[in-house]
């Protein structure tokens, strides 16, 4: 790598990069309390429920990570190019196509979870101290977390649309609003349905985030499309 060189803090790109990064950093710090809240509430339930909730979340989070690498990451440079060219029709088309793909894939997997989840989960997880009696509660938690699975996957595409437009504040504000509402939903859900209620509250907040992101992104694209001079319109 050669001799160490100190960063050029006076470079004009440093303030611009920090301006885009700090909303993401603040949002990430806030979202990290999610696990703390879930564990605190689940710790008041019966033994083993916290572990099942954590496992169910990790299954969907791992799946969303794979889908994000396959469908979301590759379109970022395409969206950034279309945004720089102010080609908003193609920009929206890319997002819509990938959203439908992810919605279809996640919905199909969820249907498999409903109708064939028990034998699949038994084959994958029944070993050691994890016996067959844990499979049905795990399946119900996965069903209750459907919003995390579908809404989380779709939300990745929509947030990428904002990032490609160099807007990191709007998705962070939406995420923080939905997460704050989700805290109340989790608490209310826990006192009504126990750990299943925590999962249901999580689902509602992820679905709400995806809906709000879609609405705001559509409005931003329409507004940007209108402000493009007629001669520059694609």
């Amino acid at each position: 790598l050669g001799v160490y060189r100190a960063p050029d803090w006076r470079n004009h790109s440093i303030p611009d990069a920090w301006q885009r990064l700090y909303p993401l950093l603040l949002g990430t710090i806030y979202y990290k309390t999610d696990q703390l809240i879930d564990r605190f509430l689940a710790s008041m339930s019966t033994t083993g429920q916290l572990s099942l909730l954590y496992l169910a979340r990790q299954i969907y989070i791992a799946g969303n990570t794979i889908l994000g690498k396959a469908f979301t990451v590759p379109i970022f440079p395409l969206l950034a190019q279309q945004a720089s060219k102010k080609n908003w029709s193609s920009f929206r088309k890319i997002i819509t196509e990938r959203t439908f793909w992810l919605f279809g894939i996640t919905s199909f997997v969820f249907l498999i979870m409903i109708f064939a989840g028990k034998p699949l989960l038994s084959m994958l997880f029944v070993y050691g101290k994890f016996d067959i009696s844990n499979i049905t509660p795990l399946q119900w938690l996965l069903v209750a977390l459907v919003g995390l699975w579908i809404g989380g996957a779709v939300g990745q595409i929509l947030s990428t649309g904002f990032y490609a437009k160099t807007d990191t504040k709007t998705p962070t504000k939406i995420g923080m609003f939905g997460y704050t509402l989700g805290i109340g939903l989790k608490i209310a859900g826990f006192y009504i349905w126990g750990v299943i209620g925590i999962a249901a509250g999580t689902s509602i907040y992820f679905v709400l985030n995806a809906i709000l992101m879609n609405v705001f992104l559509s409005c931003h694209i329409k507004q940007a499309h209108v402000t493009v001079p007629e001669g520059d319109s694609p």
Side-chain angles (χ1 to χ4, degrees):
L1 296 178
V3 180
Y4 170 76
R5 295 181 180 181
D8 182 9
W9 298 110
R10 292 176 295 179
N11 190 296
H12 69 278
S13 62
I14 298 295
D16 185 49
W18 174 245
Q19 186 178 9
R20 298 182 189 182
L21 282 173
Y22 87 84
L24 300 177
L25 293 173
L26 291 177
T28 300
I29 292 170
Y30 187 42
Y31 302 148
K32 288 298 182 182
T33 61
D34 186 44
Q35 293 291 328
L36 176 63
I37 294 169
D38 287 359
R39 292 184 181 187
F40 173 74
L41 292 173
S43 65
M44 294 186 286
S45 63
T46 57
T47 304
Q49 293 298 302
L50 174 59
S51 298
L52 290 176
L53 177 62
Y54 179 78
L55 176 60
R57 284 179 58 94
Q58 290 304 113
I59 290 172
Y60 280 154
I61 290 173
N64 279 337
T65 301
I66 294 171
L67 292 176
K69 297 293 184 183
F71 289 91
T72 305
V73 174
I75 69 169
F76 181 81
L78 300 177
L79 291 174
Q81 290 174 7
Q82 299 306 319
S84 65
K85 296 176 182 177
K86 302 188 184 303
N87 192 346
W88 302 114
S89 298
S90 297
F91 185 93
R92 184 64 189 180
K93 182 180 179 181
I94 294 171
I95 291 178
T96 302
E97 288 179 350
R98 292 303 174 103
T99 299
F100 275 116
W101 268 102
L102 280 180
F103 182 79
I105 292 172
T106 52
S107 297
F108 177 72
V109 172
F110 181 65
L111 289 175
I112 293 176
M113 179 58 58
I114 292 176
F115 296 106
K118 189 171 292 186
L120 286 175
L121 293 172
S122 299
M123 181 176 61
L124 292 172
F125 294 107
V126 174
Y127 62 91
K129 294 183 179 181
F130 198 102
D131 55 40
I132 194 68
S133 64
N134 294 314
I135 294 300
T136 298
L138 177 60
Q139 184 183 18
W140 278 110
L141 283 171
L142 288 169
V143 170
L145 282 169
V146 58
L148 168 61
W149 173 232
I150 299 178
V154 172
Q156 290 184 91
I157 294 289
L158 299 172
S159 61
T160 298
F162 282 105
Y163 301 152
K165 292 172 74 278
T166 68
D167 181 0
T168 56
K169 292 183 179 180
T170 302
T172 301
K173 290 179 179 178
I174 294 172
M176 294 177 74
F177 168 77
Y179 176 71
T180 303
L181 181 62
I183 293 174
L185 292 171
K186 288 180 181 182
I187 295 173
F190 174 74
Y191 283 104
I192 297 173
W193 296 303
V195 175
I196 294 292
I198 300 175
T202 303
S203 280
I204 294 172
Y205 122 66
F206 269 96
V207 171
L208 177 62
N209 275 5
I211 293 173
L212 289 176
M213 280 199 203
N214 183 56
V215 171
F216 276 82
L217 184 60
S218 297
C219 291
H220 281 212
I221 292 174
K222 288 180 181 179
Q223 185 178 8
H225 192 83
V226 169
T227 56
V228 175
E230 186 176 349
D232 295 337
S233 182

